Every structure is written in C-alpha cells, then in structure tokens.
Amino acid sequence: NTWFLIARRVFNKAGFPPWIIDLSFVSVRVKLISICFYITWIGIRCILYPVMMGYIVNRWRVESAKSGTYLNIELISPVLHSSFCILNFKWTYDLLMSKIRYYKRRALYQNKGGWD
C-alpha cells in the first residue's frame, strides 16, 4: 500500500488529480497506481487488519485461560493492534472526507462556470 502511494507521488510530480488528467501514458499509469492504492488500502487496512484482531484476541484468551489471569504478555498484542486499527479507521475516514470535499468543491466550481 505504501509502495503505491510513493509510486503515485513519483510518477505524478506535478500533483494532478489522477481522475482528471488526459489519457496519456503517464496518466494511465498514475490512474492504475491510484486504483491499486485504493484496493490495497481497503483490502489491508479496512478488512485484513480488523479480521486479524479477532485472531489476536483469541490467542490472548487462550493464553489467559492457561495462565489463569487476563494480565499476561499476550495482552500487549490486542492493545497495540486495536490502536493501529483505530488509526487506520481514522485515516480511512480522513481519506474519504478529503475526496468528498474535493468533489464538492469541483462541482461548485463547475456550476459557477469554471472547469469544463
């Protein structure tokens, strides 16, 4: 996921929005990289990591049953992983809101006779 973000910045140094620039080879490449970025973002950060949380909590429960206490070394994993999942959901929300704001501004500008 991070690789696609870096690649998008390297191949689009001018900073054009990937869905607006013309269909030149560079534009197609930037669009493909952007699509892969969003697919991996959703797949890894929104699906895989939360699913992993269930396995991590289950491992902690098994260790808790063995040791007879909920305070054990396995507690570190669910605490840290849940923190990372919360951060991923916050970043996903921020990413989504930035796209919504962009398209609202774009629609407002087009209605005022700006972009074609």
Side-chain angles (χ1 to χ4, degrees), residues 55-68:
Y55 292 108
I56 291 170
V57 168
N58 190 39
R59 184 178 171 127
W60 168 68
R61 285 181 178 166
V62 168
E63 184 62 32
S64 297
K66 283 185 198 174
S67 65

Side-chain angles (χ1 to χ4, degrees), residues 40-78:
T40 57
W41 182 282
I42 293 167
I44 294 171
R45 296 178 186 246
C46 299
I47 296 171
L48 180 63
Y49 289 165
V51 167
M52 286 174 54
M53 186 66 193
Y55 292 108
I56 291 170
V57 168
N58 190 39
R59 184 178 171 127
W60 168 68
R61 285 181 178 166
V62 168
E63 184 62 32
S64 297
K66 283 185 198 174
S67 65
T69 179
Y70 291 115
L71 295 175
N72 55 54
I73 194 70
E74 291 291 332
L75 180 62
I76 294 170
S77 297

